[in-house]
Amino acid sequence: MEILMILTVGVIVSVSTYLILTKSLLRVVLGLVMLAHGAHLLFLTMAGLKEGAPPLLGEYASSYADPLPQALILTAIVIGFGVTAFLLVLSYQTYKAHKTDDLDELRGSADE
Amino acid sequence: MSTLHFLVLAPFIMAVFIPFFYKWFRQIHTGWFVLALPVILFIYLIQYLPMNETPEPLVVPWVPSVGINFSIYLDGLSLLFALLITGIGALVVLYSIYYIANKKDEPLNNFYVYLLMFMGAMLGVVLSDNLIVIYVFWELTSLASSLLIAYWFHKDKSKYGAQKSMLITVSGGFAMLAGFCLLYIMTGTFSIQGIIEFFASNAVFNEALFIPAMLLILLGAFTKSAQFPFHIWLPDAMEAPTPVSAYLHSATMVKAGIYLVARFTPVFGGIPEWFWIITSFGLLTLIWGSISAIRQTDLKAILAFSTISQLGLIMALLGIGSASFIDHIAEVAIIAAVFHLINHATFKGSLFMVVGIVDHETGTRDIRKLGGLMAIMPVTFTISIIGIASMAGLPPFNGFLSKEMFFTGVLNATALDIFNVQALGFIFPIVAWIASVFTFVYCMIMFFKTFTGKYQPEKLEKKAHEAPIGLLLSPIILASLVVIFGLFPNLLSNSIIVPAIQSILPYGPETYVNIYHWHGLNTELLMTVGVVLFGSLVFLNLKHWQEATFFLRERDPLNRLYDGGLEGLVTVSKGVTNVQLTGLLRDYFAYTIVFMILLLGWTFFRFDALAFDFINVSEISPYLWIITGVLIVTTISIPFIQHRITAVIAVGVVGFLLALLFVVFRAPDLALTQLLVETVMVILFLLVFYHLPELRKEKFKPVFKMTNLVISIGMGLMVTLIAFSAHAMRHDVNFDVISQFFVEHSKPLAGGYNMVNVILVDFRALDTLLEVLVLGIAALGIVALVKLKVKEGSDV
């Protein structure tokens, strides 16, 4: 299963990198969201899959899944959410101000 | 902190108050407040004379863990320089009070803050024992010098000169820092005295670094002391106000390099490289400077090249003198160097001030316009003749004595039979003599063109008259010192010269210095007579010489190298910047990602880290094939979707599938969070996307598209490889897994059953708090952006 997950991560990272490199601002934002997904999945995979019960002591299991990566991923998900929300509003404002979301047309600044 | 520490810091402290003095006591010239400080410091320092005992370094810890301490070491050499800095400093401040008038828009506060900053920094350089502290103060002097050169910053030439001096001296200083670090690697200490002791007592050290350290330190010394070919900054530094030129660019700062060489003579002295490099660069500078001086028409430019030439002279003497670690006969060169250092400060200081007076009272320094000032400015004339005669090496002034000793030094050098001197040593006296002839010639030019000949009032901006007494006072004092040191040189010999020499040559036999005029009819005297005769001959035939094209070029040819280099640097930088900073987000991402791929690939290659493990894997449930299959297909389809809502939903699908995977992988909290976040995110996306334009087909060129594809596949591949290797190696490493701690302690320490929650709110609560802070900042930013109304065309 680890092999399958690793390959999935590889695909997600490739696609998100491709999206980040495009010209459309929205695709870039989508790419960043996808990259976060890939990273989370990678992190969880690296911690080892299906080893023990969920990290809840009420289960009284003999072994539990590693709780630490889960805690870290949880933090990452929330932070990623905040950043994405900010990016979205920023791209919306950019579009409103410049009437385009094409990064080619957005290059340069007024004082050049 | 000792009194000597405060002595170094006093000018800086004083500088803080200068703006207030300037503002509150506008009627009184700010210089009067400043003047007190160098006078007090000078009087305090003079108590240390004559210096007999060896002092102990006074240490104040700064960064003791890496051996950086603010330690003060006041020995003969330091004292000599400290006296020069404070003594000349006091005279220069006094002079500047009359030179720079207290006009309404004259930024006197700037001037005196920079000057005090320089004074403190220079005292720091000569009094510190710690190399890093020396470096800091060293660069501060460069900075202060640059600021002072650009004091009249509305002039382009001032800015040019300031930039030039800054670039040359600071890059030299940086090389010096590297040299210091090499010394630290060899000896394990930054203390100069410690280093000297180390090399005196240890025969075993990392010898491969010895010569590089020496070269780097010499680079610092040569740039600062304007040695060929780095001397080109000094003539342009003459754009500074004349008091500054007299102080920094002739008496003190440019001698910092000489101080450094003298200071390091006990470390490096006695090896042929040190001897040959310093001697040859010194002699080259000596002759180059004196020849260049003749071509100048600006009095200050003549003095600038003369300073370069004299610095070369002192440098060459230090080089020759370093041989006295092997043959004591060379010691006279060191004595001559120290003595000439003092003499040069006195006569060159007075001459700079005199030139300033001439400029001040006539409005020009051009020798083609000047003439006949002898009768109009008698006091100035008297001071000049003393200074010029001393510079030319005529008796009975101090310049004659040190010039004779210089000749003795170079003649003795020919008698050395070490370092292959016997083969090339005969050049030393010849170069010295030729340079002295030219020195004599430019002295005559200065004297005759300014003070004799026809007075040409129509060419002058002002009507010439004698300067006020305040302006004359400082050069008069310096000129009297020229006479006093000339007539009674032994005032200096035991009080200051001998202690200074003991610091330069610490392990030699006791030095005995007795300076007197008449040595009998020896070679040195004949050389001087020859200089006078031949020099006069050259001066009388100067008209023929001046027709040569060589003379028509006033600017040093080396300047073209600097100007061209600077221009090239700017052009290349601009080109690189333009290539690199395209303004396209895509390019920046591409750089970052490609660099990451290369770095990771190289690391893989370097540590041979690639590994695969297909055995230790858990089995795959059939329904997982379906989830993963859908996930992959959705992911791959996203770049091809042209419809915005579809794209958003596709990304949402990936998110929800991920949540499903979290459930499968025993992470209920993650699944919950992911579900929640993904739902909100999709809603948010849809809200925003409603206003945004439709996604278009990317209009990239095929090559471009291929590059993007290659980069993204490379990135995916790299992540996959890392994941494979990490997975394969995770059982090989000998780390204790810290997770067990959380499993064991969740209940007893935090009283929680959900370990993930306990980690978040208890064990790593501070992280979570900061996370909340990040979310808060993001929320604030979002609110601000939503409310922001941007007008078309204006920048956000």
Side-chain angles (χ1 to χ4, degrees):
Chain A
M1 183 141 74
E2 280 84 353
I3 308 293
L4 184 64
M5 282 306 123
I6 287 170
L7 292 175
T8 315
V9 168
V11 171
I12 295 180
V13 170
S14 285
V15 168
S16 52
T17 311
Y18 187 80
L19 287 174
I20 285 173
L21 290 176
T22 53
K23 273 195 277 192
S24 155
L25 194 53
L26 291 174
R27 283 208 172 94
V28 173
V29 177
L30 287 179
L32 288 171
V33 173
M34 294 286 291
L35 194 62
H37 285 340
H40 298 159
L41 190 57
L42 174 69
F43 205 18
L44 199 65
T45 311
M46 288 300 99
L49 296 173
K50 282 200 172 176
E51 283 176 6
L56 303 169
L57 287 172
E59 303 271 312
Y60 298 109
S62 57
S63 77
Y64 295 97
D66 195 340
L68 191 58
Q70 296 194 11
L72 296 180
I73 295 171
L74 209 149
T75 312
I77 292 175
V78 177
I79 296 265
F81 167 67
V83 172
T84 312
F86 183 78
L87 272 177
L88 272 176
V89 180
L90 189 64
S91 44
Y92 170 63
Q93 281 289 355
T94 313
Y95 173 67
K96 242 174 62 178
H98 298 283
K99 297 284 172 256
T100 177
D101 75 326
D102 190 321
L103 287 167
D104 253 9
E105 291 164 26
L106 283 171
R107 73 193 282 197
S109 60
D111 56 345
E112 252 175 30
Chain B
M1 293 284 261
S2 65
T3 325
L4 284 171
H5 285 95
F6 281 111
L7 187 122
V8 173
L9 296 178
F12 293 107
I13 297 167
M14 184 78 176
V16 174
F17 294 103
I18 292 302
F20 297 108
F21 287 138
Y22 177 70
K23 208 166 173 204
W24 291 339
F25 307 101
R26 201 62 194 80
Q27 286 75 31
I28 308 169
H29 197 287
T30 320
W32 290 114
F33 300 106
V34 180
L35 181 61
L37 186 77
V39 171
I40 293 169
L41 296 185
F42 183 77
I43 291 170
Y44 175 76
L45 282 167
I46 215 156
Q47 296 175 47
Y48 281 89
L49 288 177
M51 193 149 219
N52 293 323
E53 73 272 42
T54 330
E56 279 296 307
L58 308 161
V59 182
V60 172
W62 184 13
V63 195
S65 54
V66 285
I68 299 173
N69 297 308
F70 184 20
S71 46
I72 298 280
Y73 183 78
L74 184 80
D75 63 354
L77 187 64
S78 299
L79 184 63
L80 166 62
F81 273 89
L83 283 172
L84 276 182
I85 294 160
T86 50
I88 307 274
L91 295 176
V92 161
V93 172
L94 175 66
Y95 177 79
S96 72
I97 293 171
Y98 291 92
Y99 188 81
I100 304 177
N102 189 11
K103 278 183 290 195
K104 195 156 177 283
D105 51 352
E106 192 74 63
L108 283 174
N109 50 345
N110 292 1
F111 181 80
Y112 285 109
V113 167
Y114 301 156
L115 202 73
L116 283 170
M117 184 170 124
F118 167 75
M119 195 184 286
M122 194 66 205
L123 282 172
V125 168
V126 300
L127 291 178
S128 302
D129 178 51
N130 194 284
L131 291 176
I132 297 296
V133 177
I134 289 186
Y135 170 72
V136 171
F137 281 125
W138 181 278
E139 297 292 42
L140 260 181
T141 60
S142 294
L143 182 68
S145 153
S146 223
L147 288 169
L148 282 167
I149 295 168
Y151 173 65
W152 285 310
F153 52 82
H154 45 84
K155 290 197 290 184
D156 280 337
K157 281 179 95 177
S158 299
K159 281 182 280 184
Y160 173 79
Q163 188 196 31
K164 197 173 188 178
S165 77
M166 185 79 164
L167 285 176
I168 294 179
T169 53
V170 168
S171 42
F174 195 64
M176 186 182 82
L177 176 66
F180 288 171
C181 292
L182 292 186
L183 275 181
Y184 181 76
I185 293 170
M186 278 185 282
T187 62
T189 174
F190 278 125
S191 156
I192 298 178
Q193 296 309 315
I195 290 169
I196 293 172
E197 274 169 35
F198 176 90
F199 284 114
S201 54
N202 291 28
V204 186
F205 52 90
N206 192 352
E207 281 179 40
L209 297 178
F210 197 64
I211 298 295
M214 183 196 93
L215 292 176
L216 287 167
I217 290 173
L218 280 183
L219 202 59
F222 284 177
T223 48
K224 197 78 161 183
S225 277
Q227 297 297 296
F228 184 91
F230 307 112
H231 64 276
I232 48 171
W233 67 267
L234 193 57
D236 286 306
M238 292 299 135
E239 291 301 324
T242 303
V244 173
S245 310
Y247 189 30
L248 273 72
H249 305 127
S250 97
T252 54
M253 190 187 82
V254 288
K255 295 204 172 108
I258 287 172
Y259 169 79
L260 199 72
V261 169
R263 192 42 103 196
F264 277 98
T265 299
V267 176
F268 297 110
I271 61 167
E273 289 88 349
W274 180 261
F275 175 88
W276 277 110
I277 292 176
I278 297 179
T279 309
S280 46
F281 273 91
L283 286 174
L284 189 60
T285 312
L286 167 66
I287 197 158
W288 185 274
S290 59
I291 292 175
S292 303
I294 299 176
R295 305 205 304 260
Q296 308 302 316
T297 51
D298 181 348
L299 279 176
K300 243 176 131 176
I302 298 179
L303 284 181
F305 279 106
S306 152
T307 305
I308 291 169
S309 147
Q310 305 272 326
L311 289 169
L313 184 152
I314 301 175
M315 204 58 106
L317 282 172
L318 284 176
I320 294 171
S322 74
S324 57
F325 282 102
I326 295 164
D327 192 338
H328 200 58
I329 194 173
E331 194 193 22
V332 67
I334 298 274
I335 301 173
V338 174
F339 188 40
H340 196 69
L341 185 92
I342 304 169
N343 296 341
H344 180 250
T346 54
F347 69 69
K348 192 55 72 62
S350 73
L351 282 177
F352 262 110
M353 290 177 183
V354 162
V355 167
I357 291 171
V358 169
D359 188 14
H360 205 256
E361 304 307 328
T362 65
T364 184
R365 303 189 302 249
D366 193 329
I367 51 171
R368 289 166 299 193
K369 295 181 186 166
L370 291 166
L373 294 177
M374 194 192 323
I376 302 163
M377 304 170 80
V379 184
T380 313
F381 163 73
T382 315
I383 303 166
S384 311
I385 198 167
I386 294 170
I388 290 175
S390 180
M391 181 158 78
L394 295 178
F397 304 109
N398 56 3
F400 169 73
L401 295 168
S402 46
K403 200 66 157 257
E404 293 283 286
M405 285 171 80
F406 166 58
F407 285 145
T408 315
V410 288
L411 286 171
N412 282 2
T414 55
L416 292 169
D417 60 347
I418 43 168
F419 311 150
N420 296 323
V421 178
Q422 56 277 50
L424 289 163
F426 69 93
I427 300 174
F428 298 168
I430 297 174
V431 172
W433 187 79
I434 296 173
S436 298
V437 170
F438 285 118
T439 306
F440 192 79
V441 173
Y442 68 69
C443 288
M444 290 183 86
I445 294 176
M446 271 190 80
F447 177 72
F448 287 108
K449 299 270 169 156
T450 315
F451 293 104
T452 65
K454 230 179 111 238
Y455 176 51
Q456 304 155 298
E458 70 283 355
K459 286 190 182 169
L460 305 178
E461 287 171 25
K462 294 185 197 166
K463 199 181 167 315
H465 52 81
E466 186 57 275
I469 179 69
L471 212 48
L472 288 168
L473 202 56
S474 296
I476 287 176
I477 294 172
L478 284 172
S480 347
L481 286 177
V482 170
V483 178
I484 292 168
F485 292 158
L487 295 177
F488 311 105
N490 287 321
L491 278 178
L492 294 171
S493 44
N494 284 320
S495 56
I496 187 77
I497 295 179
V498 169
I501 285 169
Q502 274 162 356
S503 352
I504 302 173
L505 306 170
Y507 304 108
E510 199 165 325
T511 314
Y512 176 72
V513 179
N514 186 15
I515 307 165
Y516 48 97
H517 276 85
W518 180 249
H519 292 261
L521 203 61
N522 53 8
T523 326
E524 291 88 332
L525 191 65
L526 290 177
M527 279 170 89
T528 304
V529 172
V531 164
V532 173
L533 289 178
F534 205 76
S536 312
L537 207 66
V538 172
F539 178 71
L540 291 175
N541 293 307
L542 209 57
K543 274 218 169 67
H544 308 290
W545 287 64
Q546 276 165 336
E547 280 158 18
T549 44
F550 172 71
F551 268 91
L552 298 175
R553 244 189 256 135
E554 263 189 57
R555 260 173 87 73
D556 205 303
L558 282 166
N559 279 310
R560 282 162 61 188
L561 205 69
Y562 168 83
D563 292 339
L566 197 64
E567 215 169 278
L569 204 64
V570 172
T571 319
V572 172
S573 308
K574 260 190 193 149
V576 170
T577 311
N578 285 342
V579 168
Q580 195 192 350
L581 300 180
T582 52
L584 276 177
L585 190 63
R586 182 256 168 200
D587 289 351
Y588 302 150
F589 273 131
Y591 298 146
T592 318
I593 294 167
V594 168
F595 179 74
M596 267 168 68
I597 295 174
L598 292 178
L599 187 69
L600 291 171
W602 184 67
T603 313
F604 261 127
F605 174 74
R606 197 174 140 216
F607 296 105
D608 194 19
L610 213 53
F612 295 97
D613 175 15
F614 297 111
I615 300 150
N616 286 320
V617 288
S618 37
E619 57 181 285
I620 307 172
S621 328
Y623 65 91
L624 260 177
W625 283 108
I626 303 171
I627 297 180
T628 321
V630 176
L631 184 62
I632 290 178
V633 169
T634 320
T635 308
I636 292 176
S637 70
I638 293 174
F640 301 101
I641 296 172
Q642 305 298 330
H643 197 271
R644 61 179 184 224
I645 303 288
T646 323
V648 173
I649 289 174
V651 173
V653 166
V654 173
F656 285 120
L657 287 173
L658 203 64
L660 216 55
L661 281 178
F662 286 153
V663 174
V664 176
F665 296 146
R666 313 274 198 274
D669 295 284
L670 286 190
L672 277 175
T673 319
Q674 178 75 14
L675 275 176
L676 197 68
V677 163
E678 208 52 46
T679 314
V680 177
M681 198 105 90
V682 170
I683 295 172
L684 211 97
F685 262 104
L686 290 176
L687 272 177
V688 173
F689 271 46
Y690 179 75
H691 299 280
L692 288 176
E694 196 56 68
L695 291 170
R696 282 152 305 164
K697 220 177 160 73
E698 292 285 327
K699 277 173 265 168
F700 278 137
K701 289 186 197 113
V703 185
F704 222 60
K705 214 163 181 167
M706 277 314 286
T707 328
N708 283 359
L709 201 64
V710 169
I711 292 174
S712 26
I713 290 176
M715 187 65 187
L717 200 68
M718 200 44 80
V719 172
T720 315
L721 289 178
I722 289 172
F724 270 127
S725 307
H727 173 67
M729 291 177 182
R730 68 183 279 236
H731 298 293
D732 297 346
V733 286
N734 297 322
F735 297 135
D736 288 332
V737 181
I738 56 170
S739 304
Q740 204 51 38
F741 170 85
F742 298 110
V743 177
E744 280 163 17
H745 292 87
S746 279
K747 180 73 178 62
L749 283 184
Y753 288 94
N754 184 334
M755 285 178 249
V756 176
N757 282 5
V758 166
I759 292 173
L760 283 176
V761 299
D762 201 307
F763 290 123
R764 305 186 59 84
L766 208 58
D767 279 5
T768 313
L769 189 71
L770 292 177
E771 183 193 348
V772 173
L773 187 70
V774 171
L775 283 183
I777 292 169
L780 276 178
I782 290 168
V783 171
L785 271 175
V786 168
K787 296 214 163 173
L788 181 75
K789 298 255 184 308
V790 188
K791 280 191 204 112
E792 201 172 338
S794 68
D795 271 333
V796 177

